[in-house]
Amino acid sequence: MIPPLASYAVVVPTVGRPCLATCLAALAASEGPEPSRIVLVDDRPGPPGPELPVGTLGPLADRTLVLRSGGRGPAAARNTGVRVVDEPWTVLLDDDVRVSAYWREQLARDLAEASPDTGGVQGVLEVPLPADRRPTDWERNTAGLRDALWATADMAYRTEVLKAVGGFDERFPRAFREDADLALRIIDAGWLIRRGERRTEHPVRPADRWVSVRVQKGNADDALMARLHGRDWWERASAPRGRIRRHAAVTAAGLAALVLAAAGRRGAAALAGAGWVLGTAEFARARIAPGPRTLDEILTMTVTSAIVPAVATWHRLGGELRHRGAGSWDGTL
């Protein structure tokens, strides 16, 4: 028996990726109480692009609203969607997930069992990995979502709670840390967030060999998190601390080697250079060892391990500078 459920809306931010059609089709096919409305937020910049595949929602298409948010990132896109929601619960889905066949039924149970002081209920994310080989570095990165707290790939919040805290902090421009920031503010406001039973699949999206370099932009977001929530925010969010300190040390060694060599101090330059080589080799080994160890993966890990520390350090320093005066989020919904 499906427990009684107050009405809910589903908000899906998107940049029009092909996976959106699969996401919407899975939502439409799921068994259980239907959402009162579905809000698709088109976050593509510039003039309107091709129409979003609303038709894949089938009978749910007529209760779907499409909004535009101007390419300002997923935090701003979700806020755009939440502003029009007046249902008691807002369920956030990413456009690259596939809800399970009984997701709506499981959602009904998750929300019906939420205590009055529960502000949010997180779904269970499943990341399918290859069965015939070890996962690559990028696949392991995505698989981390299975244990992540408060991931907005499938997250339900009381709408009143979202609006009370001002929604997502739009200073987080990427799909990174904006979910943890929101959850910490909700917890600080006295609400509980628990994990439910509903299950959603989050496939590993295709990526080229440079993806690990590009995602280092998130180090700037870590600087903002530290500014807003203190240096111990990692522990409160149960988030991996990362390697930024090691990256900074390796980068410093590399820069020192170049400067010392230019100054003609060969011995000191060689020592600093050895430090850079050893640090880079340790990082590459840590990434290669648990992976498939194919020639392509080894080459990718070797090359990017020489680049990532400097890029990560650059973005972290930029974030520290950019967010040095950041105060609490004062957005309104």
Side-chain angles (χ1 to χ4, degrees):
M1 178 179 178
I2 300 173
L5 169 68
S7 61
Y8 69 99
V10 175
V11 174
V12 183
T14 184
V15 289
R17 295 185 294 184
C19 56
L20 175 63
T22 303
C23 172
L24 299 182
L27 176 61
S30 181
E31 297 287 340
E34 298 176 348
S36 297
R37 81 172 90 186
I38 299 168
V39 185
L40 299 183
V41 186
D42 184 347
D43 197 44
R44 289 174 292 186
E51 290 188 4
L52 299 179
V54 176
T56 57
L57 283 165
L60 301 181
D62 61 356
R63 65 185 68 184
T64 300
L65 176 65
V66 178
L67 303 175
R68 289 183 55 80
S69 53
R72 294 180 293 133
R78 293 189 190 105
N79 284 347
T80 298
V82 174
R83 286 190 183 98
V84 303
V85 173
D86 52 21
E87 288 78 7
W89 287 93
T90 298
V91 183
L92 304 164
L93 291 177
D94 284 351
D95 70 353
D96 56 353
V97 302
R98 294 194 290 260
V99 301
S100 65
Y102 296 96
W103 180 86
R104 293 190 335 224
E105 180 178 328
Q106 294 166 342
L107 172 69
R109 187 167 291 107
D110 282 348
L111 302 188
E113 293 175 353
S115 60
D117 57 351
T118 296
V121 185
Q122 178 179 351
V124 177
L125 295 179
E126 299 175 337
V127 181
L129 295 175
D132 59 344
R133 60 167 173 78
R134 294 178 176 181
T136 64
D137 180 71
W138 176 238
E139 290 166 343
R140 296 194 305 275
N141 180 283
T142 304
L145 289 170
R146 292 182 297 198
D147 300 318
L149 291 181
W150 318 315
T152 43
D154 180 358
M155 188 76 198
Y157 281 115
R158 294 188 190 272
T159 305
E160 64 172 309
V161 172
L162 286 175
K163 295 188 176 183
V165 301
F168 290 88
D169 189 331
E170 297 179 12
R171 291 171 295 184
F172 290 92
R174 288 164 284 276
F176 190 69
R177 303 305 189 204
E178 85 292 355
D179 48 5
D181 167 73
L182 173 67
L184 288 176
R185 285 188 283 118
I186 288 174
I187 291 171
D188 288 342
W191 294 90
L192 301 176
I193 301 175
R194 69 176 185 84
R195 193 182 294 269
E197 298 295 331
R198 67 189 186 278
R199 295 183 176 274
T200 297
E201 186 177 275
H202 191 301
V204 179
R205 70 175 185 268
D208 60 34
R209 71 173 69 250
W210 305 109
V211 64
S212 62
V213 177
R214 291 195 299 274
V215 299
Q216 299 310 313
K217 293 178 180 179
N219 283 281
D221 304 316
D222 283 348
L224 179 55
M225 285 293 291
R227 177 68 185 176
L228 296 175
H229 301 285
R231 296 289 171 179
D232 65 342
W233 76 266
W234 303 86
E235 297 177 5
R236 295 186 61 202
S238 297
R241 187 166 181 81
R243 299 176 64 103
I244 189 60
R245 293 181 179 178
R246 295 187 189 183
H247 288 337
V250 170
T251 301
L255 288 174
L258 293 175
V259 171
L260 290 168
R265 300 179 60 182
R266 296 183 179 179
L271 186 61
W276 180 85
V277 170
L278 288 174
T280 300
E282 183 276 329
F283 182 37
R285 182 186 180 283
R287 300 170 74 199
I288 292 170
R293 305 182 193 178
T294 61
L295 179 60
D296 184 69
E297 179 75 356
I298 292 172
L299 176 61
T300 298
M301 294 300 98
T302 301
V303 173
T304 57
S305 292
I307 301 171
V308 162
V311 175
T313 303
W314 172 261
H315 284 299
R316 182 56 183 260
L317 291 174
E320 295 284 357
L321 180 63
R322 185 161 60 255
H323 300 303
R324 64 188 183 280
S328 60
W329 174 242
D330 58 0
T332 56
L333 293 180

